[in-house]
Amino acid sequence: MTTALHIYHSITRQKELFIPETPGFIGMYVCGPTVYNDVHLGNCRTFVSFDIIYRYLQTIGYQVRYVRNITDVGHLLDDGEDRMSKGARLEKKEPMEVAQKYTVGFHNMMRIFQTLPPSIEPRATGHIPEQIEMVETILKNGLAYIKNGSVYFDTQKYIDNKGDYGVLSGRKIDELLSETRDNLKNQSEKNHPADFAIWMKASDEHIMRWNSPWGIGFPGWHLECSAMSLKYLGEVFDIHGGGNDLKFPHHENEIAQNMGSCQCKGAKYWLHTNMLLLNGKKMSKSDGNTISPEQLFIGNSEHISKSYSPMVVKFFMLQCHYRSTLDLTDAALLAAEKGYKRLMEAYKWIQSVNHPGTKGDAGQDADIEALIEAAHLDMADDFNTPKALSRLFELVNKLNSLKDKHIGWDQISPATFENIKQVFSLFINDIFAVDSDVEGDLSGNQDKSLLDGLMNLIIQMRNDARLRKDWATADLIRDALKENKVELKDGKDGSSWQVTES
Ligand code: AMP
Ligand code: ZN
């Protein structure tokens, strides 16, 4: 921990010197996914960004407790329906079945992107008593009120008691009003439109329900993160993260709940990642401007000309700072693929050669050492991955000159050569973790041809069944594929397949 770490704090809106609450230790909480459908690429960008931060903090010597929750109750849609219940209704499943299915899918995707599991991954439904207790404390502190079996946080009382509502989103309460999405149906129950539900009465048809001192209901979405961060990280912890779409109302309300219950501010530093765009526009399923990670990996989308391997996609994410919007285009992915290949080829080469032992050139050595130092400083400067990558590419240029004999071994000392090896290994394996495609086909075409082969086999089996007039088997195959989001189209030239979005 020799370098001072600076991180951009969303509340002060500037880079701050990072001072952990307990020297040597870091508590970090990141809002995890709402597991009611497949994880999308935007989610992946946010979780990859925090994985890099988690990894980096460990490489500079911190012991990090990284808590990332699973939201499996309470996150409502604009019409007031619980996202999990909606998922369950659409799929004719128990909400817990839906949660399980998409949690497994999420973990799988996180593995594909080579991210580490968090230290603790608490589920909202596993922490109902903690959430009820927090509601009771807020009520006891006079900062909430009960209406018809629901409990609302009293933002006006909070403000009267010098609570800084709007501290994170930096907006006036009136501007925030129209955006509250916790339960539009119940707006009339609130004393003030800015108040938000911390416990909601469950209607008869609501599937997710628990007993509480206020009747049968379920917790408000914002409450889980306050309750679980308090339980696992304490009243004050170091870092809280999420995508910047969560600043309001989710994180603003989390702060109010923390202050309203234990009079503690929770996180010392708030970090927010920026959004992933597709061809310059917000990703949106409704207007077709969307692409799933799977579609990217197998090259099955109108938005791309070919498949891209997971590590190329991850490298593409790293080329952009986490606080900037990232625009996914085919051209940018093609460029990222070239860059990734170049980096990995240099990495492979340096691992395979040994320095002959000749003395180096002091000027050249100093240049290289300065680049290595700069890459470390870039990461300490609010986790600037694109800048650190650019230093690695300057080192790649040096290595290629050496490899192509434009400069001789006498230009770089053995110690400096060893330092290049180490810095490559540190970034590529430990911090960025983009090493896994090295052995395979870097373009991901190997996976695609395997998939094509398997799909041809399945289509052949179905055709055989149809020829035998075994309609049950033919339908079973089509339906099973559909379950896995693969749609078969039967035409006069045979059957073709495509991956669907939902
Ligand atoms: P959700 O499952 O919707 O609660 O989102 C999980 C995480 O992904 C949150 O931190 C969101 O802020 C983040 N997120 C959602 N959409 C995007 C996007 N397009 N780009 C980056 N992060 C996103
Ligand atoms: Zn949260």
Side-chain angles (χ1 to χ4, degrees):
M1 267 172 275
T2 46
T3 321
L5 171 63
H6 286 82
I7 60 184
Y8 186 90
H9 180 21
S10 299
I11 290 186
T12 59
R13 293 177 192 80
Q14 60 186 20
K15 283 185 203 164
E16 306 270 359
L17 176 65
F18 176 76
I19 303 170
E21 187 62 6
T22 309
F25 293 84
I26 290 180
M28 176 163 92
Y29 187 96
V30 173
C31 292
T34 308
V35 282
Y36 74 113
N37 65 9
D38 285 322
V39 61
H40 65 67
L41 255 181
N43 304 141
C44 294
R45 182 197 185 194
T46 287
F47 298 127
V48 163
S49 300
F50 283 106
D51 180 65
I52 307 284
I53 291 173
Y54 176 44
R55 287 170 173 276
Y56 171 70
L57 293 173
Q58 291 181 90
T59 64
I60 59 172
Y62 284 109
Q63 187 175 321
V64 187
R65 181 181 292 169
Y66 173 23
V67 182
R68 188 185 63 206
N69 67 304
I70 295 281
T71 295
D72 54 1
V73 66
H75 193 165
L76 301 188
L77 295 160
D78 287 345
D79 63 3
E81 185 169 11
D82 187 295
R83 287 179 188 222
M84 294 306 306
S85 299
K86 178 166 184 186
R89 186 167 53 73
L90 292 178
E91 296 193 26
K92 297 195 174 28
K93 288 192 167 132
E94 268 290 314
M96 281 302 108
E97 267 181 294
V98 175
Q100 182 65 16
K101 175 177 164 188
Y102 293 114
T103 303
V104 169
F106 167 63
H107 286 159
N108 212 13
M109 194 50 71
M110 288 296 97
R111 254 193 309 275
I112 288 174
F113 277 115
Q114 299 289 324
T115 68
L116 297 171
S119 332
I120 304 177
E121 194 170 45
R123 286 173 175 243
T125 52
H127 296 76
I128 301 294
E130 288 84 351
Q131 295 182 72
I132 289 179
E133 201 181 315
M134 192 169 250
V135 175
E136 283 177 320
T137 314
I138 298 173
L139 273 168
K140 207 165 70 214
N141 291 342
L143 290 170
Y145 54 90
I146 306 166
K147 279 265 176 84
N148 299 328
S150 293
V151 185
Y152 294 97
F153 189 92
D154 193 332
T155 50
Q156 301 312 293
K157 273 252 182 76
Y158 177 61
I159 293 165
D160 291 347
N161 286 0
K162 300 202 172 23
D164 196 354
Y165 195 65
V167 61
L168 179 63
S169 40
R171 289 140 82 192
K172 300 264 171 297
I173 198 157
D174 297 337
E175 289 170 35
L176 304 175
L177 293 184
S178 57
E179 299 174 39
T180 49
R181 62 172 175 179
D182 57 304
N183 191 348
L184 294 183
K185 277 187 203 157
N186 290 2
Q187 283 291 2
S188 59
E189 284 180 4
K190 300 178 183 178
N191 289 349
H192 188 279
D195 296 350
F196 56 91
I198 48 182
W199 184 265
M200 267 179 271
K201 179 191 172 138
S203 59
D204 288 344
E205 65 273 14
H206 200 96
I207 328 174
M208 307 195 76
R209 49 209 290 129
W210 289 267
N211 273 323
S212 81
W214 317 283
I216 292 176
F218 57 99
W221 167 42
H222 319 299
L223 194 64
E224 60 172 282
C225 293
S226 290
M228 297 191 292
S229 61
L230 178 68
K231 175 161 176 144
Y232 296 112
L233 296 171
E235 294 193 347
V236 180
F237 57 94
D238 299 293
I239 295 174
H240 193 315
N244 66 10
D245 58 331
L246 295 187
K247 274 188 189 166
F248 184 83
H250 186 54
H251 290 160
E252 195 71 60
N253 291 353
E254 249 189 87
I255 296 174
Q257 289 163 165
N258 289 351
M259 292 302 288
S261 57
C262 58
Q263 307 226 316
C264 50
K265 64 176 178 179
K268 287 172 71 170
Y269 303 87
W270 283 86
L271 268 70
H272 288 98
T273 52
N274 215 322
M275 294 290 106
L276 178 74
L277 310 176
L278 178 59
N279 296 319
K281 283 188 289 175
K282 188 171 183 276
M283 272 203 197
S284 150
K285 278 193 182 178
S286 50
D287 61 14
N289 197 44
T290 182
I291 186 167
S292 69
E294 292 86 352
Q295 282 178 308
L296 264 184
F297 303 155
I298 61 172
N300 193 344
S301 160
E302 52 168 334
H303 298 293
I304 47 173
S305 59
K306 62 185 288 298
S307 64
Y308 296 97
S309 81
M311 289 304 105
V312 166
V313 178
K314 187 170 183 186
F315 177 86
F316 163 72
M317 293 176 181
L318 295 174
Q319 286 179 309
C320 180
H321 191 265
Y322 75 88
R323 277 191 290 115
S324 306
T325 50
L326 173 60
D327 190 14
L328 189 140
T329 63
D330 193 50
L333 284 168
L334 280 169
E337 185 173 75
K338 262 173 88 180
Y340 177 68
K341 224 169 177 165
R342 196 171 142 80
L343 180 68
M344 297 315 281
E345 275 166 8
Y347 178 51
K348 257 178 147 176
W349 182 74
I350 198 172
Q351 282 179 312
S352 67
V353 290
N354 287 314
H355 196 286
T358 43
K359 258 178 80 187
D361 169 80
Q364 190 70 261
D365 277 352
D367 271 7
I368 291 173
E369 298 295 350
L371 282 173
I372 294 174
E373 175 69 6
H376 288 292
L377 290 174
D378 293 330
M379 287 305 289
D381 179 18
D382 194 29
F383 316 107
N384 199 327
T385 57
K387 264 197 164 168
L389 262 182
S390 73
R391 314 288 183 188
L392 292 189
F393 275 105
E394 287 191 56
L395 292 172
V396 167
N397 289 342
K398 301 261 184 209
L399 289 178
N400 287 347
S401 301
L402 198 61
K403 185 173 139 197
D404 300 338
K405 302 194 172 47
H406 299 311
I407 59 171
W409 283 101
D410 56 354
Q411 295 283 301
I412 297 177
S413 70
T416 299
F417 190 70
E418 201 46 45
N419 286 345
I420 306 180
K421 265 190 184 177
Q422 274 179 14
V423 80
F424 267 66
S425 170
L426 175 75
F427 275 92
I428 291 172
N429 296 315
D430 301 337
I431 303 179
F432 296 159
V434 286
D435 53 315
S436 67
D437 283 340
V438 179
E439 295 306 320
D441 175 352
L442 293 175
S443 69
N445 286 336
Q446 211 173 44
D447 289 350
K448 180 162 164 48
S449 59
L450 175 67
L451 185 73
D452 281 336
L454 289 173
M455 281 308 302
N456 287 341
L457 179 68
I458 293 169
I459 288 174
Q460 184 62 47
M461 286 165 72
R462 180 166 169 266
N463 287 345
D464 290 346
R466 290 168 81 192
L467 282 175
R468 289 194 312 270
K469 297 203 183 331
D470 179 357
W471 308 119
T473 304
D475 287 350
L476 188 82
I477 293 174
R478 193 199 50 221
D479 292 345
L481 288 172
K482 205 169 169 191
E483 273 265 294
N484 288 289
K485 301 197 172 161
V486 177
E487 192 184 358
L488 288 184
K489 283 210 177 111
D490 298 320
K492 57 180 182 343
D493 299 320
S495 303
S496 60
W497 61 278
Q498 67 172 37
V499 178
T500 58
E501 257 302 282
S502 55

